[in-house]
Amino acid sequence: MTVMDFFGCAFLAFGPPLAMFTFTVAAEPIRIIILIASAFFWLISLLLSSVLWYAVVPLQNHLAFGLIFSVLFQEAFRYLLYWVLRKAERGLDKVTTTHVADSRHVFAYVCGLGFGFMSGVFALVNVLADAVGPGTMGLRQGTEYFFIISAATTLCFILLHTFWGVVFFSALDRKNWGQVIWVVGSHLFVSCMTLLNVYQAYIATTLSAYVVLMITTALAFKVAGGRPQNVVQCFSRQ
């Protein structure tokens, strides 16, 4: 049973992102490089937030403190990654077959996916380690839904990071500060909502996260130039 929990949660959290990687990133070496670079940027943001948490001793017992600054560091490094990519566009044109300026939304998507992958790995790796056993949740304390809720939340954050990347990069290109505020604000909101998991308010945290995901997905689809006709064509037979 514990092994089934492990594989079920792992495939739920990382199955769709791995499919996205396989079909949209793996075929282009430059996209793989950018994805790895973006994952590295996320790691640096985690390192800095950990250093801050370790340095401010009186606030180490307050989880919200570390969470808020972690989100702010992530968004700061998302901006730094955007700045680096824009500076490197001329060089990237020499090593890729496509014109970078015409594929900015694609690279934004790849950067977001890299952020999401690394975020998901760090969020779920300890949970998956516990899922292997011995024992299961929900016998004397806790809830039997802990693992599946953790996996569903991780999947949500991976997808959110992916679409936040698209919206954030496009907003900076167009100087649309409202969309920048949406990315940072929704990231803070969804992250802070997870604090309610201490009280096992899983319905509130999960539903709110997926509502934000749907809104962000629609916004990313719009800023990338998508139209309703494109969705219809994807599901229509040729």
Side-chain angles (χ1 to χ4, degrees):
M1 184 66 182
T2 55
V3 176
M4 293 173 62
D5 281 340
F6 172 85
F7 283 105
C9 292
F11 288 141
L12 173 60
F14 298 109
L18 283 174
M20 294 164 64
F21 171 81
T22 301
F23 291 109
T24 62
V25 177
E28 290 283 344
I30 189 64
R31 296 182 187 179
I32 298 176
I33 294 172
I34 292 176
L35 184 139
I36 295 172
S38 63
F40 179 71
F41 270 68
W42 189 92
L43 277 176
I44 298 176
S45 73
L46 177 65
L47 174 63
L48 291 181
S49 60
S50 300
V51 169
L52 179 65
W53 177 85
Y54 186 78
V56 186
V57 178
L59 295 175
Q60 289 183 2
N61 294 326
H62 300 278
L63 184 59
F65 165 78
L67 184 147
I68 291 173
F69 276 94
S70 177
V71 170
L72 295 178
F73 274 122
Q74 288 177 52
E75 295 305 329
F77 273 86
R78 197 192 305 274
Y79 173 77
L80 182 60
L81 180 59
Y82 163 84
W83 182 81
V84 170
L85 280 180
R86 292 297 175 265
K87 292 294 183 181
E89 279 187 353
R90 185 174 299 178
L92 290 174
D93 275 329
K94 298 178 181 179
V95 296
T96 183
T97 57
T98 59
H99 189 50
V100 175
D102 297 331
S103 304
R104 286 180 170 179
H105 63 284
V106 176
F107 289 111
Y109 159 82
V110 174
C111 290
L113 188 60
F115 259 60
F117 262 125
M118 194 55 62
S119 171
V121 168
F122 273 82
L124 200 64
V125 63
N126 289 332
V127 175
L128 291 178
D130 290 337
V132 177
T136 57
M137 295 290 294
L139 297 180
R140 293 188 178 275
Q141 58 182 351
T143 172
E144 60 187 285
Y145 301 111
F146 172 76
F147 292 124
I148 192 169
I149 292 296
S150 298
T153 303
T154 299
L155 171 62
C156 184
F157 267 96
I158 294 174
L159 297 178
L160 276 171
H161 273 295
T162 303
F163 300 130
W164 278 332
V166 175
V167 175
F168 191 82
F169 281 33
S170 174
L172 290 176
D173 285 336
R174 301 175 182 178
K175 292 182 171 52
N176 189 329
W177 307 119
Q179 292 180 358
V180 173
I181 292 173
W182 165 259
V183 171
V184 178
S186 60
H187 193 176
L188 281 169
F189 170 75
V190 176
S191 298
C192 289
M193 284 295 292
T194 61
L195 295 174
L196 297 178
N197 287 340
V198 176
Y199 308 103
Q200 297 187 14
Y202 296 128
I203 295 178
T205 58
T206 306
L207 284 180
S208 61
Y210 275 90
V211 168
V212 173
L213 174 61
M214 289 188 289
I215 297 173
T216 307
T217 302
L219 186 57
F221 182 74
K222 179 181 178 181
V223 301
R227 296 178 300 173
Q229 293 86 340
N230 301 134
V231 179
V232 175
Q233 290 174 1
C234 288
F235 295 98
S236 62
R237 295 183 179 180
Q238 300 296 328

